[in-house]
Amino acid sequence: MATADETGVPRRLWVEEPVGRRRLPDPVRTAAVRAVIVTAVTMTQALTAFFFTVTGSWLAFPMVLSSVASTVGATWAVLDVWVTRQVWNQRNGVVSVPSSTARQLRRERRRARRTARAQARESARIRRRGSGRLSQA
């Protein structure tokens, strides 16, 4: 039973809060879950291999070998998450924010190029206008 606060209204047991980030796309989330499971199994296997090695059991050597193989598999699974995310972003596009840093930098570079071109045109025009004459008199 939920307890009541000062106002006498019972508190709800579960309160939904808005999520700060968007949910991962399904293929990326699937790869991430797979990577977590493979990593957890690998860590359990490595710990078991360590304990077998400490106790001097005959299972220590096969467990160490399988732990090394599982570590390679876990690395592959984590890289799969990264690659899957990159592929998803390339295929479905990334929503760009108008105030992003990259856009701001591009805008500044474009503005600098425009002013440099305008100055070059202005100096060329001044040189053309004054060429061939020694004085204005």
Side-chain angles (χ1 to χ4, degrees):
M1 174 93 192
T3 60
D5 58 5
E6 314 66 64
T7 60
V9 179
R11 269 190 317 143
R12 290 191 337 204
L13 189 60
W14 187 268
V15 178
E16 290 286 334
E17 295 181 1
V19 178
R21 301 193 294 184
R22 285 177 304 166
R23 191 171 132 168
L24 283 175
D26 286 339
V28 178
R29 200 170 71 250
T30 304
V33 168
R34 188 181 323 120
V36 166
I37 291 171
V38 170
T39 305
V41 168
T42 300
M43 291 177 71
T44 305
Q45 201 171 11
L47 193 62
T48 307
F50 171 74
F51 286 135
F52 279 157
T53 304
V54 168
T55 59
S57 173
W58 65 273
L59 283 172
F61 184 66
M63 284 298 289
V64 167
L65 287 180
S66 66
S67 293
V68 170
S70 292
T71 303
V72 171
T75 306
W76 186 271
V78 171
L79 281 174
D80 180 47
V81 174
W82 182 67
V83 168
T84 305
R85 183 175 177 161
Q86 296 298 323
V87 168
W88 193 89
N89 282 340
Q90 282 184 353
R91 286 185 182 163
N92 300 305
V94 181
V95 179
S96 76
V97 181
S99 63
S100 72
T101 309
R103 278 192 183 182
Q104 185 64 31
L105 291 174
R106 276 198 311 262
R107 201 173 292 130
E108 288 172 4
R109 281 196 301 256
R110 239 182 281 133
R111 196 174 297 131
R113 277 196 307 261
R114 270 193 221 118
T115 56
R117 276 195 308 251
Q119 287 174 350
R121 263 186 271 132
E122 185 66 26
S123 66
R125 192 168 53 96
I126 290 172
R127 267 188 259 127
R128 271 194 315 253
R129 194 174 14 168
S131 63
R133 287 188 263 169
L134 293 176
S135 67
Q136 293 285 58

